Amino acid sequence: MRFRPLAPADVPALAAMLGSMEPWISYRVDGPAWERLLAAVPPGEEALVALDGDDRVTGYAQFSYKGAFCLSGYIRTLAVDPGRHGGGLGRQLLAHVEELVFARGPNVFLLCSARNEKAQAFYRAVGYEQVGCLNAYVLPGEDELLFRKTRGPIRKQ
Ligand SMILES: CC(C)(COP(=O)(O)OP(=O)(O)OC[C@H]1O[C@@H](n2cnc3c(N)ncnc32)[C@H](O)[C@@H]1OP(=O)(O)O)[C@@H](O)C(=O)NCCC(=O)NCCS
């Protein structure tokens, strides 16, 4: 697996892929909405695509180094091509993001829908712990679980 920054030419196919997947179907973020989001990644956020041996885009990660509490890494989006789930690509993509984030600080956070039990199992399997629950944060009646992976506190004392 190789990684490189998201390029404008990636956007149409990647947006179609993300818009066809859970949890974004349930959150009503469809392909056109993803096209707008991917075309305007906010300043301070990194957007990376994962490529297979044939240079096909097989995954996407969007994250920031200080996106959690202005102190710690925050992963906004992590996704693997649905046809490739369960093949270890998510683990590799996340490990790459973590390598970048942990080079700048000892914590990384993310939110995962309480309904998204597959992703929760994935995050637990790769070392994340649920540290909170944001009730009805994005949508009414839908809770977001806060996950953290840590190598220790920010300060020594
Ligand atoms: C979540 C996601 C990124 C995981 O990527 P993946 O390539 O499917 O996961 P991997 O194959 O690398 O799995 C790594 C480990 O996670 C666990 N895991 C992954 N999927 C799982 C599932 N459906 N159920 C239980 N455990 C799972 C396994 O322990 C696995 O390790 P193993 O293969 O050694 O058993 C991917 O499934 C995805 O894109 N899902 C849809 C989008 C999404 O929900 N993103 C997260 C939003 S918060």
Side-chain angles (χ1 to χ4, degrees), residues 19-35:
S20 72
M21 294 169 68
E22 289 291 354
W24 298 294
I25 292 172
S26 294
Y27 283 71
R28 296 186 297 280
V29 186
D30 60 8
W34 270 113
E35 290 220 22

Side-chain angles (χ1 to χ4, degrees), residues 1 17-18 21-24 58-60 75-82 84-94 110-113 116-126 144-145 147:
M1 183 178 254
M17 180 183 100
L18 295 169
M21 294 169 68
E22 289 291 354
W24 298 294
T58 54
Y60 178 66
I75 299 172
R76 181 197 284 271
T77 304
L78 188 85
V80 165
D81 181 340
R84 312 282 288 270
H85 284 181
L89 298 184
R91 189 190 285 272
Q92 288 179 62
L93 175 56
L94 185 55
L110 58 88
L111 292 174
C112 184
S113 163
N116 194 351
E117 293 180 359
K118 290 180 184 174
Q120 291 166 40
F122 165 76
Y123 288 125
R124 290 196 171 93
V126 296
E144 308 298 321
L145 308 186
F147 280 85

Side-chain angles (χ1 to χ4, degrees), residues 28-51:
R28 296 186 297 280
V29 186
D30 60 8
W34 270 113
E35 290 220 22
R36 291 191 292 277
L37 291 168
L38 295 173
V41 174
E45 292 194 24
E46 310 293 320
L48 292 182
V49 292
L51 305 170

